[in-house]
């Protein structure tokens, strides 16, 4: 290329064509070896980089929006609450979320709490024998309120605990109902609507495919084999697909992941770009290394009592939170990665020459003969241009 | 490079300089062609890869946090509810979300529900003539409760439906109010605060730009042309920018995307890194391939009746969920991609030589002459070094 | 390579080995220079690209799921509300969110609102002297309801404001309690459970590390130096780590980012893949360029009054929203980027030859001597093959 000479003799540079001088060695062994190495590199570049890994494509990550709607009715019959029917407004808390929904499967309800004085729930830190065991103003990590410094009898029993100022009576969450309160939740269904967008390619698609009829959507239920594109899922199936037991999970709650993968090759037709569903448990199952296993949270329904005093129904809700995780990449032909990969491939082809040179010039018996042909030895100028350089020809 | 010889004759290797021998062919045609091909490749590498696609930059994806605040008052006057005013606490459900907000635009309210026995809402599956048409314990997909097995008159009408144990009276959602109940929502405004962060470059910015005064922010409303950086949006404008009709959307609900694109070139000044807003409808408009079109969800307000019995106001809320989708990439000069692209460009320049060689040696009339100059033919050693190789010196 | 000749003389092509002819110049100066340039490029490719930037790896972005649970009790004693205890169900609104949680730290409560007529809260736009100052049906940006057109006395004071149909009495949010109402929130703790997944490598991990015992988790609190992997955080520490003042923040609210960075080298053992926590304030602190500084939102608790009329407790909740931002990349050895970088590196090594050639052929005093050795000048065919080309043998 020697383009530096352009600056010196610009015209001659433009009208000159420079190409490396080549030795062509007619040798079956070396020739074959050289071609095999070149073919392997070519096969790698074309086969692996271009065909398999689509090195000619540019990629983009998904932007997603999800809505969900759960359907189902559960009936419970307990001594405390009596016969009770639970519908969507009762067991979905909060009523809507962005990329998740929570289905309450178990519950500890403390009714008619109001602010006042009452004995703490008995445990190692709250049991007392006399007032001196209770510290006025103390609030522990698991306290329900702040201690008044008195030691009083708990629930007319012989047990005594420190008195607290709290929402009274305090919650008793030691016995989690088993089997789970809303065990019928296994048969609830959820409709998931997912809209994705690849901003770089301005390509958007929905998980409700356009070749599916409303009639089908009204009655289908997702099944990995028979109905892989039905957007309606039975909660029990989601859990069992992840290799878990729903009734077991329902007792203390869990976090489940509904994964929607959108891997799209936008060089092909849109209709090949399809959602793939998979399911995974996200919370920790190793009981040994966990604090507060399962999944639960507390909330309250507030109301005014007869005298205008604020009261509440305090609810510790155990349940399954379903996180809808949408991910994926779309690829489309783009000149930049193509050229980067071609350039890289060409450079790798050059490696074939180095490799063969090494074998030819250093390993083969006839190496000195080949070396003579390839190299021209030139002594430094200081030694004089009139020297015999010992170079072939 | 022949660095393998280093191992054999290290010193000679270090003090030797090897460079390919070149044939310089003085030919206007071939020389010009060669330079043109080289220039084209150079122009591609510099122009496209570096200037247009910023191949010298490393990229990072955005990490974002969004808060929103809706303002506005709506008044409705219906026979059922009378004159009623709706403020933020009434129509925003839930009160706050992370990257979204829901504005209730239409509503079906079922007041004073309590658990008990009542006839199902009449439809194809619930109508009955006698008790034998109703299955005790049956719960269908659209049931409001579980059937007791009795067939009773619905609402003092001549129609008879299966009796259910449910929250009674059951909801009648057949007639969606039209025009939408809170049609005034079109004039509500929302303030969106968005904080973005590029972790790789530790660069953060807010969509409330620092060169904007509080006075401006207090009165501005986003407009694509006149106020493109005002973070306050009129709901009606968002919908119309997306090419939709607000009043139409308000009836059955919808999901709208507020897209904030942060494409930043961090090699330039911070003040050029600006948010770009765009709007898009995210839910399915194709009525043919959809289940439960629009967007709605159910929730309830619970209270205690006079006798301490739990009652609720059951609400089916139709409305527009606005999803705030933040995306974008920031680029900044980095040595790695620069070198990858330069290396790739250099390799591509080599392709020019191959191309010209092919033309010179195989297509031009004088190909044999050029070939003689470029190649030195060497027979294999077996044929003896004393052979006449037929090579041009 | 000259593979075009394959088409002409395929067999000869396969059994031929072509390698460039090289001039080996024995010169200490030029030889050393060449090796130094080559070493520098090699050092860059190996040291920087491979060792430092892990150019041999493929990367993937994190898919994350977060749950959080706050613990703590606060006590307040005000003239308006009396002695009151606040627990999780009172100050966490909504009860659960996906990647965030909101802790109420300050509050303006308007009790027993019901729909009706009342005077607007006095400000510049609502004060009036007579009915003519009020426009019937007018609703402003900051209105609490729609004006009836009457001008009435506000709260038995001499001040007169326009009457509105609204939830009455209207909220007075001019005086934000200071110090913050729930200033005790500083000592609340939050347990954050984070599950991450790298889909490309099918690698998942939790922030509750498997080598940590339950006993430790029950009592630990995060500290950057002593307990960097404890998933339980004191809210006050989060804020002070971000260089902010909790009590100051608690008054008007704020948005805090809890950043969890998962940068994993999956070529190493799993146990080296660890979460790194950092904290940052996300909302705007520049009072000059902000609307509605801090963070607050309004919600209501609804109940039925004695006569069955709907009433509500209207709450303007100031507080700190903690956004949990999970990000990071995992890298694992992959053949594609390795080959791209090697190819690019090989091409860059070629640059060394160009560079040295330029120096040797254009700058060194002996340039003409070297040029003679490297180049063979060939005149164009037109000038006749019988010419003396003037080429060095």
């Amino acid at each position: 290329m020697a383009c530096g000479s352009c600056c010196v003799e610009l015209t001659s540079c433009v009208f000159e064509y420079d190409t490396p001088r080549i030795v062509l060695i007619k040798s079956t062994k070396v020739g074959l070896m050289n071609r095999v190495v070149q073919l392997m590199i070519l096969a790698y570049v074309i086969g692996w980089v271009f065909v398999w890994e689509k090195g000619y494509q540019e990629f983009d990550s998904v932007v997603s929006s999800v809505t969900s709607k759960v359907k189902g009715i559960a009936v419970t019959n307990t001594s405390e609450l009596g016969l009770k029917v639970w519908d969507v407004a009762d067991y979905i808390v909060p009523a809507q979320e962005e990329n998740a929904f929570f289905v309450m499967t178990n519950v500890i309800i403390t009714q008619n709490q109001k602010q006042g004085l009452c004995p703490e729930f008995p445990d190692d830190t709250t049991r007392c024998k006399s007032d001196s065991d209770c510290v006025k103003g103390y609030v522990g990590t698991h306290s329900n309120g702040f201690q008044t410094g008195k030691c009083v009898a708990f629930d007319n029993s012989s047990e005594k605990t420190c008195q607290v100022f709290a929402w009274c009576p305090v919650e008793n969450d030691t016995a989690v109902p088993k089997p789970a309160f809303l065990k019928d939740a296994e048969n609830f269904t959820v409709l998931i609507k997912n809209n994705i967008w690849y901003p770089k390619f301005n390509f958007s698609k929905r998980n409700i495919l356009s070749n599916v009829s409303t009639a089908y959507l009204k009655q289908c239920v997702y099944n990995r084999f028979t109905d892989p594109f039905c957007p309606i899922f039975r909660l029990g199936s989601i859990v069992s697909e992840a290799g878990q037991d729903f009734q077991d999970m329902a007792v203390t709650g869990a976090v489940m992941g509904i994964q929607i993968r959108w891997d799209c090759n936008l060089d092909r037709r849109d209709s090949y770009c399809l959602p793939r569903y998979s399911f995974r448990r996200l919370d920790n199952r190793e009981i040994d290394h966990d604090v507060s296993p399962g999944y639960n949270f507390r909330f309250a329904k507030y109301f005014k009592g007869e005298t205008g005093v604020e009261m509440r129904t305090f609810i510790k809700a155990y349940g399954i939170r379903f996180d809808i995780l949408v991910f994926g990449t779309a690829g489309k032909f783009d000149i930049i990665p193509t050229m980067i990969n071609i350039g890289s491939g060409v450079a790798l082809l050059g490696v074939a020459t180095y490799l063969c040179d090494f074998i030819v010039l250093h390993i083969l018996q006839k190496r000195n003969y080949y070396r003579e042909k390839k190299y021209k030895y030139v002594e430094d100028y200081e030694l004089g241009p009139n020297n015999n350089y010992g170079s072939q020809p």
Side-chain angles (χ1 to χ4, degrees), chain A:
Chain A
M1 235 151 283
C3 197
S5 66
C6 296
C7 322
V8 192
E9 325 169 356
L10 199 93
T11 43
S12 91
C13 175
V14 171
F15 298 122
E16 263 171 27
Y17 170 60
D18 47 359
T19 179
R21 292 173 70 184
I22 302 289
V23 202
L24 266 181
I25 298 172
K26 282 195 197 296
S27 161
T28 318
K29 208 166 25 172
V30 181
L32 261 178
M33 190 182 70
N34 182 36
R35 295 295 167 217
V36 166
V37 171
Q38 282 180 349
L39 267 179
M40 274 164 56
I41 292 177
L42 213 69
Y44 160 75
V45 171
I46 291 174
W48 181 251
V49 178
F50 282 91
V51 177
W52 187 256
E53 292 276 345
K54 305 205 177 57
Y56 56 86
Q57 289 190 332
E58 197 186 24
F59 295 99
D60 194 14
S61 295
V62 75
V63 173
S64 152
S65 162
V66 175
T67 64
S68 64
K69 192 170 202 174
V70 178
K71 280 217 167 129
I73 299 281
V75 180
T76 59
N77 196 349
T78 61
S79 56
E80 196 190 357
L81 294 172
L83 189 64
K84 196 162 154 46
V85 63
W86 300 75
D87 69 4
V88 171
D90 298 322
Y91 61 72
I92 300 289
V93 187
Q96 70 149 7
E97 285 181 271
E98 230 190 315
N99 293 302
F101 59 97
F102 171 79
V103 177
M104 190 161 74
T105 54
N106 213 355
V107 68
I108 292 173
I109 297 178
T110 312
Q111 301 219 52
N112 298 320
Q113 281 191 331
K114 57 186 158 192
Q115 302 239 333
L117 299 173
C118 52
E120 228 339 339
F121 191 76
D123 71 17
D124 293 354
T125 59
T126 58
R127 279 194 198 89
C128 58
K129 286 194 176 127
S130 70
D131 289 1
S132 62
D133 294 339
C134 300
V135 183
K136 192 178 171 182
Y138 171 80
V139 178
T141 316
H142 295 273
S143 297
N144 287 299
F146 76 105
Q147 296 191 358
T148 57
K150 282 190 190 148
C151 184
V152 293
F154 180 73
D155 261 5
N156 299 325
S157 69
S158 60
E159 212 164 15
K160 290 179 88 175
T161 60
C162 291
Q163 193 190 44
V164 284
F165 179 74
W167 285 96
C168 290
V170 296
E171 179 193 59
N172 170 6
D173 65 349
T174 48
V176 181
K178 197 172 179 177
F181 210 63
L182 276 87
K183 57 183 188 299
D184 299 354
E186 190 163 0
N187 292 316
F188 293 173
T189 56
V190 60
L191 162 66
I192 294 174
K193 291 190 188 177
N194 179 212
N195 182 299
I196 56 123
W197 188 42
Y198 286 106
K200 215 180 260 176
F201 310 123
N202 199 16
F203 174 84
S204 71
K205 196 158 181 180
R206 298 182 180 87
N207 71 330
I208 299 180
L209 305 175
S210 55
N211 58 356
V212 164
S213 70
T214 312
Y216 172 75
L217 289 171
K218 283 242 159 85
Q219 51 80 25
C220 76
V221 173
Y222 172 85
N223 178 297
R224 188 147 47 112
F225 305 106
T226 60
D227 297 83
F229 301 119
C230 175
I232 297 167
F233 302 84
R234 195 177 147 270
L235 298 194
S237 307
I238 291 174
V239 172
S240 65
E241 283 262 351
Q244 305 288 325
D245 179 60
F246 191 91
Q247 292 308 331
D248 192 49
M249 220 180 221
V251 176
T252 52
V255 184
M256 287 291 305
I258 300 176
Q259 298 160 349
I260 311 183
R261 184 193 287 265
W262 287 92
D263 281 341
C264 294
N265 181 352
L266 298 184
D267 293 329
R268 299 173 72 197
R269 260 191 297 147
D270 291 6
S271 55
Y272 288 110
C273 174
L274 294 169
R276 306 280 168 197
Y277 302 97
S278 59
F279 310 97
R280 198 164 59 92
R281 185 168 182 173
L282 298 177
D283 61 325
N284 207 334
R285 282 145 295 178
E286 308 158 48
I287 299 299
D288 289 356
H289 314 110
D290 209 357
V291 270
S292 66
Y295 184 68
N296 64 71
F297 62 91
R298 290 178 174 90
F299 66 98
K301 295 174 187 169
Y302 296 85
F303 54 92
K304 294 254 166 159
E306 279 158 53
T307 55
V309 88
E310 192 175 32
M311 296 177 79
R312 70 178 193 183
T313 303
F314 189 59
I315 295 161
K316 181 172 185 181
Y318 294 85
I320 306 176
R321 195 176 86 176
F322 293 87
D323 276 10
I324 300 150
L325 307 169
V326 182
F327 58 95
T329 44
K332 200 172 190 173
F333 172 78
D334 189 81
I335 197 74
I336 301 279
T338 310
M339 283 303 190
I340 285 179
N341 280 300
I342 287 180
S344 182
V346 166
L348 282 174
L349 274 180
V351 173
T353 302
Y354 290 125
L355 207 73
C356 292
D357 271 6
F358 182 78
I359 294 169
V360 168
L361 302 173
H362 297 279
I363 291 176
L364 292 188
Q365 272 195 327
K366 294 156 282 182
R367 54 184 178 266
N368 287 320
Y369 171 71
Y370 289 125
R371 226 182 278 177
E372 234 173 52
K373 303 294 172 201
K374 183 179 168 76
Y375 293 111
K376 177 168 82 173
Y377 294 93
V378 175
E379 297 299 322
D380 207 355
Y381 193 68
E382 283 85 15
L383 302 173
N386 297 323
N387 279 6
N388 183 3
Y389 313 127
S391 67
Q392 185 273 343

